[in-house]
Amino acid sequence: MTEPLLCDLSVSGRRGIRYPAPDVPLSKLPEGLVREDLPMPELSEVDVVRHFTRLSKLNYCIDQGMYPLGSCTMKYNPKINEETARLPGFAGLHPLQPVETVQGALMMMYELQEMLKEIGGFAGITLQPAAGAQGELTGVLIIRAYHESRGDAKRTKILIPDSAHGTNPATSAMSGLDVVQLPSDARGNVDLEALKKHCDESLAGLMLTNPNTLGLFDENVIEVTRLVHQAGGLVYGDGANMNALLGIVRPGDLGIDVLHFNLHKTFSTPHGGGGPGSGPVGVAKHLVDFLPAPLVGILEEGDKDTPPLYGYATPAKTIGRVKSFQGQFGMFVRAYTYIRMYGPDGLRAISEYAVLNANYLLSRLRDAYHLPYDRVCMHEFVLEGMWADAPGVHALDIAKRMMDYGLHPPTNYFPLIVHEALMIEPTETESKQTLDAFAEVLLKIAEEAHSEPELLKSAPHITPVGRLDEVKAAKELVLCCGVDPFERELV
Ligand SMILES: *Cc1c(COP(=O)(O)O)cnc(C)c1O
């Protein structure tokens, strides 16, 4: 299958736009500013619209079908979020406007901070970080600053369980701490004996992804946070998986000192394709003074006749700024809308259904696939994509075969502690009918793996491109004219 390229469609002299007559005197552009040899395709409006519409249909998106990427929480994004984010009073603001002229926007940010505090059980929130990983970096820098402010600079060790998200060790290392990996026990919890061995005077903290990347809630979390605190360390909670906990557990109540939220997962702001994320960070009381500046605060209390005056505030021992301006403002509006639309009971229902959906799907698949950590799961679960009696079939083959059935594959080969991991997160927005259809496909593929393994190994068969060299495709993206990017290449 070959898609025509825009330059193939080009006809000399064809035009898609008409400029209005200029209302300023014409003058020549300075020499050298215009490249004469830029090969711009010449096309009509119809050509261009059809080309991009055709291309858009080659993509898969959350508005088209289920997107079971474990760890990514690809839930449906309600369209009301987009409407509010586009309200001119929000979308048309400039970040440097005087505070008197942006009181509504500041009030929304202030209330979002307050709502996230309550959801997470924290004393302070910064909305600045632009993603989960940047929230982690912010949190770890806060932990460092806390120890340093107490003259406790020897605390340089940070413990990271092997079931943590990959960003945890990366951000810790970036912040200059020494990363030590902790093993999991047979039930997928942090190994307490291993933890105890590291609880000493060099301990800066521990980063806990909970639920972890196996989709399991750490059954000993209270003991984990107690041990770390007893040794003088702090606990970082990776809250990207709050979709399993909303209204049920508050990380702050478990002894977590600092945690990032992923607005672009739990609170349904769009993600993927490199779009903006947002990773607000919540902290317990003893860390509030270290939060990045500025925070949104109330400068003057209001009364029954006057609303409060909102403005910016700088915490006493702030680690500084981690993002330009106010952060990803458009994401705040979306998350704020989402939280206000659901309300407290609705948020709890989100997590109840996310966990129910994952367990329902797991119950339909558990006889056909190997489940390495056999427990009730939270919002996601990890299967092994291999069978002893179907040698040669791998998780990758299963993932590719799913595309032939029109499904987006789950996360695979992550977490690393499961050999051929298929990490499935259905989210609460999928109906029983969608989950059943998904389960039927995976059951069929498990059968095919045994009866017709070649079908899996050569998949996908119906997509515009076959199996790409994924590393090369990402590093050497070919978009220019003259090369056919849709040439099938099987590796
Ligand atoms: C997605 C995720 C992150 C990183 O978030 P980004 O916004 O992609 O940087 C960290 N931890 C967990 C558990 C996640 O699922």
Side-chain angles (χ1 to χ4, degrees):
M1 194 193 307
T2 306
E3 291 286 325
L5 297 166
L6 266 188
C7 53
D8 296 341
L9 304 172
S10 178
V11 173
S12 177
R14 193 163 280 175
R15 283 279 172 277
I17 41 171
R18 305 261 179 279
Y19 295 104
D23 55 359
V24 290
L26 290 181
S27 69
K28 266 199 135 2
L29 283 168
E31 198 71 27
L33 211 63
V34 181
R35 276 200 278 161
E36 296 295 342
D37 59 347
L38 212 52
M40 299 296 281
E42 298 180 72
L43 302 152
S44 69
E45 179 177 323
V46 186
D47 294 333
V48 174
V49 169
R50 288 196 180 145
H51 175 76
F52 285 108
T53 303
R54 204 164 51 232
L55 283 185
S56 76
K57 287 185 181 170
L58 298 176
N59 214 345
Y60 189 91
C61 58
I62 192 68
D63 288 344
Q64 179 180 341
M66 178 173 168
Y67 219 116
L69 277 184
S71 200
C72 296
T73 312
M74 300 292 287
K75 61 169 73 176
Y76 172 75
N77 306 138
K79 297 302 167 254
I80 180 89
N81 295 353
E82 299 307 312
E83 296 227 0
T84 54
R86 283 166 177 72
L87 287 174
F90 287 137
L93 298 181
H94 190 284
L96 296 179
Q97 262 176 254
V99 292
E100 298 75 33
T101 67
V102 290
Q103 285 295 303
L106 292 178
M107 177 178 164
M108 184 278 295
M109 289 173 69
Y110 181 82
E111 288 186 4
L112 180 60
Q113 288 173 185
E114 293 299 304
M115 294 190 300
L116 292 176
K117 272 191 209 169
E118 183 168 342
I119 289 168
F122 293 110
I125 294 275
T126 169
L127 297 175
Q128 271 184 35
Q134 205 199 1
E136 290 173 31
L137 183 65
T138 305
V140 177
L141 291 174
I142 289 173
I143 290 178
R144 273 192 56 171
Y146 169 81
H147 291 309
E148 277 165 18
S149 77
R150 294 156 52 93
D152 212 357
K154 64 187 175 309
R155 294 191 178 270
T156 55
K157 178 172 65 180
I158 188 146
L159 305 176
I160 312 224
D162 59 5
S163 62
H165 194 267
T167 48
N168 294 186
T171 47
S172 298
M174 270 180 80
S175 74
L177 294 176
D178 305 322
V179 176
V180 175
Q181 194 178 47
L182 281 185
S184 301
D185 67 14
R187 288 182 60 74
N189 297 318
V190 169
D191 186 324
L192 289 177
E193 292 314 309
L195 168 60
K196 284 179 194 157
K197 285 199 194 100
H198 287 291
C199 284
D200 55 31
E201 303 235 302
S202 69
L203 185 63
L206 173 141
M207 281 184 104
L208 191 68
T209 302
N210 191 31
N212 64 24
T213 57
L214 296 166
L216 302 176
F217 190 86
D218 198 299
E219 296 161 309
N220 308 319
V221 60
I222 299 284
E223 182 62 2
V224 169
T225 57
R226 194 188 68 79
L227 284 168
V228 174
H229 289 154
Q230 195 179 43
L234 296 179
V235 182
Y236 185 96
D238 182 327
N241 292 333
M242 279 299 291
N243 212 45
L245 308 181
L246 296 176
I248 301 168
V249 177
R250 303 199 316 164
D253 298 339
L254 300 174
I256 305 277
D257 300 285
V258 45
L259 171 138
H260 77 265
F261 297 86
N262 276 49
L263 298 189
H264 50 293
K265 291 178 182 170
T266 314
F267 300 106
S268 82
T269 73
H271 65 305
S278 182
V281 168
V283 293
K285 212 156 138 220
H286 47 283
L287 298 178
V288 168
D289 280 350
F290 299 93
L291 282 170
L295 306 176
V296 176
I298 292 182
L299 300 187
E300 279 168 37
E301 289 294 345
D303 54 37
K304 68 177 179 17
D305 301 318
T306 2
L309 178 69
Y310 296 93
Y312 303 112
T314 300
K317 301 176 196 161
T318 179
I319 61 164
R321 198 177 243 296
V322 298
K323 177 83 177 76
S324 54
F325 303 120
Q326 286 83 347
Q328 310 281 37
F329 182 78
M331 298 298 118
F332 306 157
V333 184
R334 291 175 174 89
Y336 179 85
T337 307
Y338 185 75
I339 295 171
R340 292 297 302 268
M341 290 293 292
Y342 275 90
D345 294 341
L347 288 183
R348 184 183 169 101
I350 285 170
S351 286
E352 288 171 346
Y353 278 99
V355 172
L356 179 64
N357 277 3
N359 278 285
Y360 175 68
L361 201 50
L362 175 58
S363 75
R364 292 222 46 194
L365 298 174
R366 62 185 307 144
D367 294 336
Y369 288 81
H370 179 229
L371 177 66
Y373 293 86
D374 192 353
R375 277 173 54 186
V376 170
C377 69
M378 298 297 289
H379 60 307
E380 63 191 2
F381 57 91
V382 180
L383 299 174
E384 203 141 38
M386 60 189 266
W387 297 268
D389 56 353
V393 171
H394 297 278
L396 184 69
D397 306 317
I398 298 167
K400 296 294 183 195
R401 181 65 178 147
M402 288 173 74
M403 297 164 83
D404 285 340
Y405 290 101
L407 293 181
H408 194 288
T411 301
N412 44 72
Y413 297 96
F414 178 80
L416 301 176
I417 49 174
V418 172
H419 204 55
E420 293 274 339
L422 289 171
M423 185 192 207
I424 299 173
E425 178 178 7
T427 83
E428 75 284 358
T429 54
E430 301 311 322
S431 66
K432 178 168 182 297
Q433 288 71 20
T434 305
L435 298 177
D436 281 331
F438 183 85
E440 291 303 328
V441 167
L442 274 177
L443 295 174
K444 181 100 200 303
I445 292 176
E447 254 173 55
E448 290 173 351
H450 293 83
S451 59
E452 286 177 277
E454 277 313 312
L455 259 184
L456 273 66
K457 286 189 225 172
S458 53
H461 305 99
I462 62 157
T463 49
V465 282
R467 272 193 213 195
L468 298 170
D469 176 334
E470 285 168 10
V471 176
K472 202 163 173 225
K475 300 276 179 220
E476 292 174 34
L477 192 61
V478 179
L479 291 174
C480 60
C481 293
V483 184
D484 180 1
F486 294 98
E487 204 172 13
R488 293 193 62 122
E489 191 185 322
L490 287 169
V491 288

